[in-house]
Amino acid sequence: MARSTSRRRDTVIDIGKPSSFTGGLEFSTLTYTVTKKTKDEEGKWMTQEVDLLHKITGFAPKGSITAVMGPSGAGKSTFLDGLAGRIASGSLKGRVSLDGKEMSLSLIKRTSAYIMQDDRLFPTLTVYETLMFAADFRLGPVSSADKKQRVEKLIQQLGLTSARNTFIGDEGTRGVSGGERRRVSIGVDIIHGPSLLFLDEPTSGLDSTSAHSVIEKVHHIARSGSTVILTVHQPSSRIQLLLDHLIILARGQLMYQGSPKDVDLHLGRMGRKVHKEESPIEYLIDVIQQYDQSELGVEALAEFARTGMRPPLLVDVDASPSTVMPTPLRHGGRGGEGLEDKGKSGKRLHLQTSIHSVNDFDHSVRSPYNNSNSRSWTPSHSGVMQKLQMFTPSRQREGQKMQSPMSASPGYNYSSEILPSTPTPHSSDYTVNENDYLTPDIGPNTNSYHHLGPKFANSFFPETWILMRRNFINIRRTPELFLSRLVVLTFMGFLMATMFLKPPETTQGITNRLSFFIFTVCLFFFSSNDAVPAFIQERFIFIRETAHNAYRASSYTIAGLVTYLPFLALQASVYAGIVWFALGLREPFIYFLVVLYVSLLSTNSFVVFVSSVVPNYILGYAAVIAFTALFFLFCGYFLNSHDIPGYWSWMNKVSTMTYPYEGLIMNQYQTSDTFGKNPDGTNITGFNILEGLRIDYGGEHTLSEVKKWEKVYIMLGMTVLYRVLFYLVIRFTSKNQRT
């Protein structure tokens, strides 16, 4: 059946922002473009640009919940990341402002919180301890009594009183329920009262009751004055009652923006009839998917949301008889071009919109699809938010008649209008006071951000102490991590003591001691391998906490090192005490102990650095094992440093095993004492052994201790170097941002 080529466009009324809009988050022409590799018809790889977000303009009212919805792959999480500053600078085009003040990454970190889809919490902490540490980090120099009072009130408000002293838990340890864990995650990020709260699928993985409970708590947070934006997939009817503002996306384009109550009006103007027993929101998403699977694509619906131009009706759809009119778009869409460019696979490579007359909509923002191969974005800096009429319907004012269902601008009741008078649409046993959440004052007349206070709530040393206290608690409650290493070193110490008990003063005895030294060095290196998961386990917690300036990366680095100092000292002391007397090693004992201790420090720092670079345990252990083999090969045991080929001699210098190995040998043999006899009957002194191994010990006559202690200083330098590298990695690369 041939379609009519006539085109109908409803009247568009210049409405601007709703008059009741009293603040919140505003965004204009958000566009996020990525480069994608695809195969052409000949099977050759080619690169094409794809818009994951395409010129989305709108707002999220203050004091209300704005829900971002849409089919799978609509770009909901990408959109949320764009608003939250989680897309790398330069990749996202557009403008985002809060209460009229343009947002910067620094401002976002200070005024917002982002709750990830996965709950990243320490399983060994209780609910109360988790929230108390969050208060310590975010509230700064507030008295301990005030922090406790605030945490107790938050626990009550989040409905966590019964789980107050329950461990968070994980897959292997029983803890709080999924809904409680999600509420704890929310509590951690709202303890300081952020102006902006972003939540990525807060109901994911929860049952209906738990999901409703979570959104219920978020609803009260919004009513306290925060701007809440969340992504949600298939919310229940009870959850829909708690939503104030909707943003519906499809393939990175805006399909609808407005009150949930007016979705049926939006569908009516499209020529769609919603059955009484069906949810208008779900039906609209179904309609979007129908267009997405058709030849028209979602671009027709995006144009309708933008201009009010009714999209062509699809064949065999349930439409309202009073509004069914065959009004397809012009043939070919954009002057002979299709609405979308499809290859043989049928997949849309570019998200495109139709171009129509100047009277249809404002062209102050130039389309990136003009006659140019290069993408461009030219915002209109004067009155850019006045263009919201292209995307948002007007509020129906008192005494104003409801506009025609065919109008592009129905009388929407925005959530900001109903905030003062509308009670929570559910029963609740508690209330939320606005003063419970400290929202920073960021108004449109603000000329600087200095009023926000310091970047971090705490100074460096209190911050480090808080992190150390948390580390000590985690270690105390997971003693197997420390005890396993201590048990291994204790067992291996007894094994070595019995195997190499009192080596004879012969060449075989010399060989036995050398074997003992190299095995000890390797044992201490391998004992540090369990530090691989140290940062990998905490990576996402670290990213979540530092994304909004909870603490400094430098404080985290120092706290991690200082926390383990006493535990490493105990391990080295136990091993040294067992083997020292059994093998009859030469004094001083303190140097032997210091070498073992500093060896643990340097290898632990190296392994922690590796854990910050690799993405998972498998690659982490593989990298550590590979470096262990390399360091062992070039430490000087198989070939002394002078016999190693010149092009590999640098490996001897960077090996963390070289210096403890040489230090232990020098402590034992830097003497004129006899340790055996040559075949010709001459004595073998300690100096002879060092010279045979080509170890620079400072000279036989000077008996210099300087060279021996140089090994310790170098290992300490390696410890500092790897910790600095670890800091640089987590400071500049461990960011939760898209590129």
Side-chain angles (χ1 to χ4, degrees):
M1 178 178 178
R3 292 176 176 169
S4 170
T5 57
S6 63
R7 191 176 188 181
R8 176 186 174 116
R9 181 173 63 86
D10 295 325
T11 303
V12 179
I13 300 177
D14 189 359
I15 61 175
K17 282 187 295 185
S19 60
S20 60
F21 184 80
T22 58
L25 191 71
E26 303 172 72
F27 43 91
S28 175
T29 60
L30 289 185
T31 301
Y32 177 40
T33 305
V34 298
T35 302
K36 182 180 180 180
K37 285 188 176 183
T38 58
K39 283 187 178 181
D40 58 16
E41 297 179 355
E42 299 178 357
K44 296 181 179 179
W45 286 101
M46 57 183 298
T47 58
Q48 290 188 334
E49 290 183 332
V50 179
D51 281 353
L52 299 185
L53 300 177
H54 181 65
K55 301 176 72 172
I56 300 176
T57 296
F59 67 98
K62 184 178 182 179
S64 64
I65 294 181
T66 297
V68 182
M69 300 177 63
S72 297
K76 301 185 292 294
S77 295
T78 304
F79 175 66
L80 198 69
D81 287 346
L83 296 179
R86 288 155 57 93
I87 295 179
S89 177
S91 299
L92 181 71
K93 307 295 183 182
R95 180 179 182 270
V96 181
S97 61
L98 177 64
D99 296 337
K101 178 63 64 177
E102 188 165 355
M103 297 289 286
S104 65
L105 185 59
S106 175
L107 184 60
I108 289 175
K109 284 189 173 185
R110 299 190 193 194
T111 61
S112 70
Y114 190 106
I115 300 174
M116 302 178 185
Q117 186 172 349
D118 298 325
D119 299 314
R120 304 293 184 176
L121 304 168
F122 285 100
T124 58
L125 299 180
T126 65
V127 170
Y128 175 78
E129 289 170 340
T130 300
L131 294 176
M132 272 303 300
F133 277 117
D136 288 336
F137 286 130
R138 303 310 302 262
L139 300 183
V142 178
S143 67
S144 178
D146 290 340
K147 290 178 182 178
K148 291 179 180 179
Q149 181 180 3
R150 189 175 181 84
V151 168
E152 293 290 358
K153 184 180 293 185
L154 186 60
I155 288 176
Q156 182 181 5
Q157 292 166 350
L158 293 174
L160 295 169
T161 303
S162 61
R164 180 186 184 278
N165 297 316
T166 305
F167 291 111
I168 299 298
D170 54 14
E171 295 82 359
T173 306
R174 185 176 180 82
V176 297
S177 66
E180 290 170 336
R181 185 180 294 110
R182 184 59 49 86
R183 277 177 272 161
V184 174
S185 295
I186 294 173
V188 165
D189 284 315
I190 67 170
I191 191 71
H192 62 300
S195 298
L196 277 171
L197 181 60
F198 301 99
L199 302 98
D200 187 15
E201 295 283 359
T203 61
S204 176
L206 302 180
D207 59 80
S208 177
T209 302
S210 298
H212 179 263
S213 177
V214 168
I215 300 300
E216 190 178 50
K217 306 307 181 292
V218 173
H219 182 271
H220 282 287
I221 295 169
R223 287 295 187 266
S224 69
S226 296
T227 302
V228 177
I229 306 174
L230 57 86
T231 60
V232 61
H233 187 66
Q234 293 182 340
S236 65
S237 57
R238 291 194 301 166
I239 290 179
Q240 290 181 25
L241 292 175
L242 300 174
L243 306 180
D244 303 307
H245 192 68
L246 281 186
I247 295 176
I248 299 181
L249 306 176
R251 293 197 178 272
Q253 299 188 75
L254 185 66
M255 301 288 105
Y256 173 80
Q257 179 177 215
S259 170
K261 299 178 181 179
D262 295 309
V263 173
D264 55 347
L265 298 179
H266 184 79
L267 286 164
R269 290 190 308 279
M270 290 173 55
R272 296 288 183 140
K273 180 180 179 181
V274 183
H275 297 286
K276 292 182 180 180
E277 67 277 5
E278 190 169 8
S279 167
I281 298 175
E282 294 179 0
Y283 183 62
L284 176 56
I285 294 178
D286 290 341
V287 170
I288 292 171
Q289 291 179 316
Q290 290 174 8
Y291 275 87
D292 188 37
Q293 295 169 5
S294 70
E295 294 182 356
L296 294 173
V298 297
E299 286 77 9
L301 298 182
E303 186 173 355
F304 173 66
R306 216 172 28 251
T307 67
M309 187 187 315
R310 183 185 302 159
L313 292 177
L314 302 177
V315 180
D316 298 329
V317 297
D318 182 17
S320 173
S322 62
T323 57
V324 173
M325 297 185 67
T327 56
L329 299 175
R330 287 182 302 201
H331 180 69
R334 307 186 297 110
E337 260 181 85
L339 281 174
E340 57 192 74
D341 182 14
K342 293 185 177 182
K344 287 187 176 182
S345 63
K347 292 183 178 180
R348 192 175 298 102
L349 300 179
H350 287 276
L351 299 177
Q352 300 179 345
T353 58
S354 60
I355 297 177
H356 30 76
S357 64
V358 175
N359 294 328
D360 287 344
F361 69 103
D362 183 82
H363 285 276
S364 61
V365 180
R366 190 175 64 203
S367 170
Y369 299 100
N370 289 343
N371 296 329
S372 173
N373 293 329
S374 61
R375 290 183 173 270
S376 62
W377 178 80
T378 310
S380 174
H381 294 284
S382 60
V384 64
M385 292 312 296
Q386 295 179 358
K387 307 307 177 184
L388 281 173
Q389 65 270 21
M390 298 185 296
F391 297 86
T392 58
S394 66
R395 175 183 63 88
Q396 182 186 6
R397 299 174 183 173
E398 293 182 6
Q400 182 181 5
K401 294 182 179 180
M402 179 68 73
Q403 299 181 23
S404 168
M406 296 297 296
S407 170
S409 305
Y412 279 13
N413 288 321
Y414 279 89
S415 58
S416 54
E417 182 182 14
I418 66 175
L419 285 180
S421 58
T422 302
T424 306
H426 50 77
S427 60
S428 180
D429 297 330
Y430 59 87
T431 58
V432 175
N433 190 332
E434 284 189 22
N435 297 325
D436 293 337
Y437 302 96
L438 305 177
T439 303
D441 180 18
I442 306 173
N445 298 324
T446 302
N447 295 322
S448 68
Y449 301 134
H450 297 294
H451 68 290
L452 293 175
K455 184 176 181 181
F456 298 95
N458 300 287
S459 58
F460 176 81
F461 290 106
E463 198 173 79
T464 304
W465 172 241
I466 296 170
L467 287 165
M468 289 174 57
R469 285 196 295 112
R470 189 172 70 176
N471 289 342
F472 278 120
I473 291 176
N474 286 326
I475 293 175
R476 188 177 75 246
R477 292 182 181 165
T478 53
E480 60 274 9
L481 296 179
F482 165 71
L483 291 178
S484 60
R485 186 189 302 182
L486 183 62
V487 168
V488 168
L489 289 177
T490 302
F491 173 77
M492 294 305 299
F494 280 110
L495 185 63
M496 297 295 287
T498 54
M499 283 189 63
F500 297 99
L501 183 63
K502 299 297 182 182
E505 298 298 326
T506 62
T507 54
Q508 184 60 47
I510 297 173
T511 302
N512 291 349
R513 283 196 179 92
L514 294 179
S515 300
F516 163 76
F517 291 142
I518 190 59
F519 184 86
T520 296
V521 171
C522 290
L523 174 64
F524 274 55
F525 194 102
F526 276 113
S527 69
S528 298
N529 285 6
D530 60 0
V532 170
F535 179 71
I536 295 178
Q537 286 181 329
E538 299 180 12
R539 188 196 308 271
F540 292 104
I541 298 178
F542 170 82
I543 291 174
R544 176 179 60 80
E545 292 178 334
T546 57
H548 297 279
N549 295 346
Y551 49 80
R552 300 166 180 82
S554 57
S555 301
Y556 182 84
T557 303
I558 297 299
L561 174 62
V562 175
T563 301
Y564 282 93
L565 290 180
F567 299 102
L568 297 180
L570 178 60
Q571 294 167 12
S573 300
V574 170
Y575 183 85
I578 294 173
V579 301
W580 174 262
F581 298 101
L583 273 75
L585 299 179
R586 181 173 171 271
E587 294 183 351
F589 171 79
I590 187 63
Y591 180 84
F592 180 78
L593 176 60
V594 167
V595 169
L596 295 183
Y597 180 48
V598 179
S599 174
L600 278 177
L601 285 178
S602 61
T603 55
N604 181 269
S605 297
F606 171 76
V607 173
V608 169
F609 163 65
V610 171
S611 71
S612 70
V613 176
V614 298
N616 52 56
Y617 302 119
I618 297 176
L619 289 179
Y621 282 115
V624 169
I625 291 173
F627 278 107
T628 301
L630 288 174
F631 291 166
F632 183 36
L633 178 62
F634 292 100
C635 70
Y637 177 74
F638 298 101
L639 289 176
N640 63 61
S641 58
H642 295 273
D643 293 335
I644 295 176
Y647 45 84
W648 286 118
S649 60
W650 61 273
M651 282 294 298
N652 177 259
K653 304 299 181 183
V654 302
S655 172
T656 58
M657 294 186 186
T658 298
Y659 306 100
Y661 174 63
E662 292 184 352
L664 293 177
I665 293 177
M666 291 172 67
N667 189 56
Q668 179 67 25
Y669 294 119
Q670 195 170 348
T671 177
S672 58
D673 294 346
T674 301
F675 291 91
K677 291 184 177 295
N678 291 311
D680 58 2
T682 59
N683 293 330
I684 303 177
T685 65
F687 293 123
N688 297 144
I689 297 173
L690 293 177
E691 291 170 356
L693 296 174
R694 307 291 292 274
I695 294 177
D696 184 9
Y697 59 92
E700 178 178 345
H701 301 290
T702 60
L703 300 179
S704 173
E705 296 288 316
V706 175
K707 289 292 183 179
K708 187 169 68 173
W709 284 99
E710 275 184 3
K711 311 302 179 182
V712 174
Y713 302 147
I714 293 175
M715 285 188 285
L716 288 175
M718 285 185 166
T719 301
V720 174
L721 172 64
Y722 287 127
R723 290 290 172 172
V724 170
L725 292 177
F726 171 76
Y727 162 75
L728 294 176
V729 170
I730 65 174
R731 172 67 177 81
F732 297 105
T733 65
S734 294
K735 295 182 179 180
N736 202 3
Q737 284 189 336
R738 300 170 186 252
T739 56

